[in-house]
Every structure is written in C-alpha cells, then in structure tokens.
Amino acid sequence: MLISFACIGQAQFVLSDKPFSHSLPLDKHLLEQTDKQAVTYKLNKEESEFLYLTNYLRKHPAIFSKQCISPFLALFPEVNGPEATSLQEKLLAVSGLSALSINGILNGVAKEHALDLARNTDQISHIGTDGRDFSRRISYSNYKKCASENIYTGKNDPLLSLIMLLLDIGYESKGHRKNLLSPNFLEMGLSIKQHRSKQRVVLVQEFGCG
C-alpha cells in the first residue's frame, strides 16, 4: 500500500506504508503546556500531538534530528536527497527556539481555511474558495502582527505531517521549514480536518510574531 503526501508548492510525494513512531524523551513541562492549550482551544488528539511535536522540534532540534529524522530517513530511503541533508544540517546548527503558544485569532483562521479546503476542494491552496489569499484572510481576521502559513494534506499522522513539512521536498525556498524554525514566530493556530474524500486530512498551521 502507498500513502501519498502533498504540500502546497511541492510535487506530490509517495511513501511506502510502513509503521513509524518517534522515540523522543518526554518533555513533561512541554506536555503540560500542550495539555492546557488543548483544553482551552478544544484541540483534538491529532492537533494536540502536532502542537507538542512542533514545539519539541523548536525546543530540542538536535534531539529531534537524532531521534526522529535519522530513523525516518533509514526507514524511507526514497526521501534521502538534498532536502534530507540540508534538514539535518539545519537542525544540528540551530539553537533551541521558544515554544509557540496558540493564539485564538490565528486558530480561527486555521480552522476556517482547513474546513474550506476539506469540504470544497481537491487541491490544497493558500487561496480559499471565496478568492481570498492568505494576506487577505489574515487582514480580515484583524491579526495585526507578521504572520505566515503552512498547509499539508495526506495521512492523518502528526509526526509524518511535521517531517514532510520539514523536508519540503521539491520546494526550493524551504518555506515550510523556515516557518517551523523561525525565531520570529511566537504564536500559532492549527486545524486538522478530514477531507471530504475521507482518504486524507487537510492540515493548516498559522504562525504569528506575537
């Protein structure tokens, strides 16, 4: 069985369907923060896990590289390319970053766009079905600080979603990776919705400067 992964700006990428899980040491403080935000913003299980993993990546990039990226590349040699090499180099070079806190406005933007894409389209895009692009959606939300957006569609697996966004295969600017590892971002919004096909999910992640 093959699982397709696609991200805006990337060519569709196919991975063989093999079980994969991380062996990251537990960060109890980070988990407590995640649980509190999950309750406050009513995040589902996958959204909570993605929030935790995103912040684990930012707080412990070298550990994430060793415990997640390296075994992932060993299990899926088809992704071993220049993107994998540059990712490992980046994670070993970057210092620990501050955790991202959920922002209510950004979370609303993420939910609205994820729901729109999941219900109404077959292709993911930063442009909604009403014609508004990301800049217009952020402006309409009244969020006044700098912001950016990641979009992913594929298997409903938070760890795989995060790794594929980090690899940014086929995307020369590495925009998704830069968003995830930017020291300028302090806030985020997140939504994961099942696509109408019921074969995949749509994940939308908003970043804000706080």
Side-chain angles (χ1 to χ4, degrees):
M1 180 178 179
L2 297 179
I3 299 297
S4 296
F5 292 86
C7 199
I8 187 66
Q10 295 178 333
Q12 188 169 352
F13 197 84
V14 178
L15 293 177
S16 53
D17 188 16
K18 303 174 186 176
F20 177 75
S21 61
H22 68 75
S23 56
L24 296 170
L26 180 66
D27 186 322
K28 292 183 179 179
H29 180 64
L30 190 57
L31 183 60
E32 290 174 358
Q33 290 181 321
T34 301
D35 289 342
K36 289 179 181 178
Q37 293 186 81
V39 171
T40 301
Y41 295 100
K42 300 180 180 179
L43 304 182
N44 63 33
K45 177 183 176 182
E46 289 75 22
E47 291 166 345
S48 297
E49 184 178 352
F50 190 84
L51 172 61
Y52 175 80
L53 290 170
T54 295
N55 281 331
Y56 199 105
L57 160 74
R58 289 173 62 86
K59 187 176 178 180
H60 310 289
I63 295 175
F64 193 91
S65 178
K66 180 180 179 180
Q67 301 296 117
C68 278
I69 301 301
S70 293
F72 183 84
L73 297 176
L75 185 63
F76 298 101
E78 61 266 40
V79 301
N80 273 292
E83 297 91 351
T85 300
S86 65
L87 174 59
Q88 289 183 301
E89 292 173 349
K90 176 67 175 179
L91 292 181
L92 292 177
V94 69
S95 300
L97 303 169
S98 59
L100 302 174
S101 299
I102 295 292
N103 173 278
I105 295 176
L106 293 175
N107 218 46
V109 174
K111 286 183 177 180
E112 179 184 22
H113 194 51
L115 193 60
D116 179 33
L117 295 180
R119 286 181 174 177
N120 302 316
T121 69
D122 291 324
Q123 300 294 326
I124 56 174
S125 172
H126 291 289
I127 301 175
T129 55
D130 61 1
R132 289 184 298 159
D133 61 13
F134 170 69
S135 296
R136 290 175 63 192
R137 287 186 283 109
I138 284 291
S139 178
Y140 185 80
S141 75
N142 209 32
Y143 188 79
K144 300 298 185 181
K145 304 160 189 174
C146 64
S148 192
E149 180 177 79
N150 281 355
I151 306 176
Y152 162 91
T153 187
K155 186 177 181 180
N156 190 14
D157 185 313
L159 178 58
L160 290 178
S161 304
L162 181 58
I163 291 174
M164 295 306 290
L165 285 167
L166 283 168
L167 285 170
D168 250 359
I169 295 172
Y171 195 21
E172 291 185 8
S173 71
K174 299 296 177 285
H176 304 96
R177 182 189 303 176
K178 290 178 181 178
N179 285 340
L180 287 162
L181 297 174
S182 172
N184 297 322
F185 293 136
L186 301 174
E187 300 178 325
M188 68 176 283
L190 172 66
S191 183
I192 301 175
K193 300 294 184 185
Q194 185 179 60
H195 188 262
R196 62 183 179 179
S197 67
K198 301 190 184 301
Q199 301 298 312
R200 55 189 172 93
V201 297
V202 174
L203 183 154
V204 176
Q205 184 181 28
E206 312 293 356
F207 300 86
C209 289

